[in-house]
Amino acid sequence: MQINCPESVSPFVIRLSQRGINNLKTKGNMQTDKNLVVELETPRFEDGKLLLIAGLRERLTDDTENIPALWQRFVPYIGNVPGQVDHIAYGVSLFKADGSCGCEYYLAGVEVSDFSRLPGELSQLRIPAHKYAVFPHLEHVSRLWNTIDAIGRKWLPNSGYEVAANAPGFFERYDENFDPQTGTGGMEVWMPIKA
């Protein structure tokens, strides 16, 4: 199945407009600790290129912990996806554009050069070129939602920037320094912003 990002809206746009930032929901063991003070690093800004992402996609529900399980199912594909560009992995949150059913999807994937040789079980995601604010995540992966929450609660309202509405929402980027055994290193959150 191919997904085009203009059919999806940023999670911040959906959550801020429909539920408000105070009701930001998290998934399973990726709970936001409201008592934890997260000091965000100053973001760098990147002009991101078009990304073709292939991976496993799953619908998320509020009472499941399926993101870690999805990654466990996807890990054997890393390095074995036809047309894979490098060993960087991406976690992308997707929302329906109209928000009518509140469906939320998460895709664990890698960048590919094209979609022509992918096995049928992998979803396809085309992320258009955007300008991004890029935030390093220096804690354990289970605390990633704390960084995402701090971006939405602290940085975004005070930054003078707005989230790009025709983007997939933020994505997580895991480079070669990410250690799946310790859950640390090489993680960034890429937030699409209006140029």
Side-chain angles (χ1 to χ4, degrees):
M1 166 182 281
Q2 183 166 335
I3 305 163
N4 289 309
C5 289
E7 296 172 6
S8 302
V9 177
S10 164
F12 283 108
V13 172
I14 292 289
R15 288 176 172 150
L16 290 172
S17 65
Q18 292 184 348
R19 297 180 213 141
I21 192 67
N22 293 328
N23 295 321
L24 185 68
K25 294 185 179 179
T26 59
K27 302 295 170 210
N29 64 357
M30 303 269 205
Q31 295 297 320
T32 299
D33 181 349
K34 302 295 185 202
N35 299 318
L36 181 68
V37 176
V38 175
E39 294 298 327
L40 291 173
E41 298 286 321
T42 301
R44 73 178 191 277
F45 295 90
E46 296 277 345
D47 290 321
K49 64 177 183 170
L50 167 72
L51 290 172
L52 302 179
I53 305 293
L56 296 178
R57 179 181 65 111
E58 189 167 308
R59 182 177 179 182
L60 303 178
T61 59
D62 290 335
D63 60 350
T64 62
E65 297 182 3
N66 50 350
I67 290 177
L70 180 64
W71 276 107
Q72 287 177 349
R73 288 196 319 274
F74 183 68
V75 164
Y77 288 93
I78 298 175
N80 298 304
V81 176
Q84 185 171 333
V85 173
D86 52 32
H87 289 280
I88 294 173
Y90 296 85
V92 186
S93 295
L94 299 163
F95 294 77
K96 290 192 69 109
D98 62 6
S100 60
C101 69
C103 296
E104 179 178 18
Y105 294 89
Y106 184 88
L107 183 132
V110 293
E111 183 181 3
V112 294
S113 56
D114 65 74
F115 295 138
S116 65
R117 298 174 287 141
L118 294 178
E121 67 269 18
L122 295 184
S123 291
Q124 305 167 9
L125 174 64
R126 181 180 302 272
I127 301 177
H130 279 284
K131 181 174 182 156
Y132 291 92
V134 181
F135 297 86
H137 174 69
L138 305 176
E139 301 292 326
H140 188 271
V141 68
S142 65
R143 294 188 174 238
L144 187 61
W145 280 103
N146 293 102
T147 296
I148 294 165
D149 185 63
I151 293 167
R153 286 181 191 272
K154 294 178 185 176
W155 182 81
L156 189 60
N158 298 307
S159 69
Y161 290 99
E162 294 180 35
V163 176
N166 63 341
F170 64 88
F171 61 79
E172 306 146 27
R173 184 179 183 273
Y174 301 86
D175 69 21
E176 295 90 347
N177 295 313
F178 177 70
D179 183 344
Q181 299 301 316
T182 64
T184 60
M187 291 174 278
E188 296 177 325
V189 176
W190 288 53
M191 173 66 61
I193 56 175
K194 289 184 181 178

